[in-house]
Amino acid sequence: MISQAEFYEKLTSKRKIASVKEAKNLEKALQADVSAAVLSIGNIGMIQRYVDLFKHHRLPVFLHIERIGGLAQDREGIAFLAQIVKPDGIVTTRNSLIKLAKREGLLTIQRVFLVDSDAIRSGMNSVQETQPDAIELMPALLTDSIERCRQEVKVPIIAGGLLKNREQMLAALAAGASAVSMGSRELWKENVEHEQL
């Protein structure tokens, strides 16, 4: 598994994460020049094969565990992931799963939805409590909120959701995100790592 330091280095060098939501995009994500891939597809019977594919290509792979069919979202489910499937980490909104995954040695990305000021405050409190390796703020278009959260957390921020073009990617990065996460294969091709922000 990739170390936290290696993950951070990849985040800042490539600045893009491929969010894979359909099996037909697995190969495209492998060909993209990205920091990591987040898989929001599959089930308990197929996920091992998907993770092995990304590991074979030396691309860090995270599982959005709420989207993996048949996987128990409890201590045993997380232990199964860590000991058998062996992704580099998980993505989740749930504090309890972040804590369990950290105990099992997995990297963690905590997803926070920027719905309103109460949600932001609650999300930042959760992040302070769980101390994930990174947070994903959604939607990425709320650049003012990204700037505000950047001042409150010490871990890398990933901006994800609703990104439709290069300008939106650059705006999220300029607001303080270390990387952007997109489901669009076209946006995976965008070269943003050397842009002056």
Side-chain angles (χ1 to χ4, degrees), residues 7 10 22 24 27 34 51 54-55 57 74 80 83 96 99 102 122 125 130-131 141 146 152 157 168 171-172 174 191:
F7 174 53
K10 284 188 173 287
E22 297 179 84
K24 68 181 183 181
E27 289 292 333
V34 295
V51 168
F54 281 85
K55 290 204 157 275
H57 285 84
D74 58 17
F80 171 78
Q83 297 166 21
S96 60
K99 292 174 184 177
K102 287 178 69 160
S122 174
N125 288 341
T130 59
Q131 297 294 307
L141 305 181
I146 294 171
E152 294 187 36
I157 290 175
Q168 292 171 340
N191 183 349

Side-chain angles (χ1 to χ4, degrees), residues 131-160:
Q131 297 294 307
D133 297 292
I135 61 172
E136 182 177 18
L137 298 179
M138 300 183 81
L141 305 181
L142 299 177
T143 55
D144 288 350
S145 295
I146 294 171
E147 288 175 17
R148 177 178 160 197
C149 293
R150 173 76 274 149
Q151 296 169 8
E152 294 187 36
V153 297
K154 298 191 182 344
V155 297
I157 290 175
I158 300 161

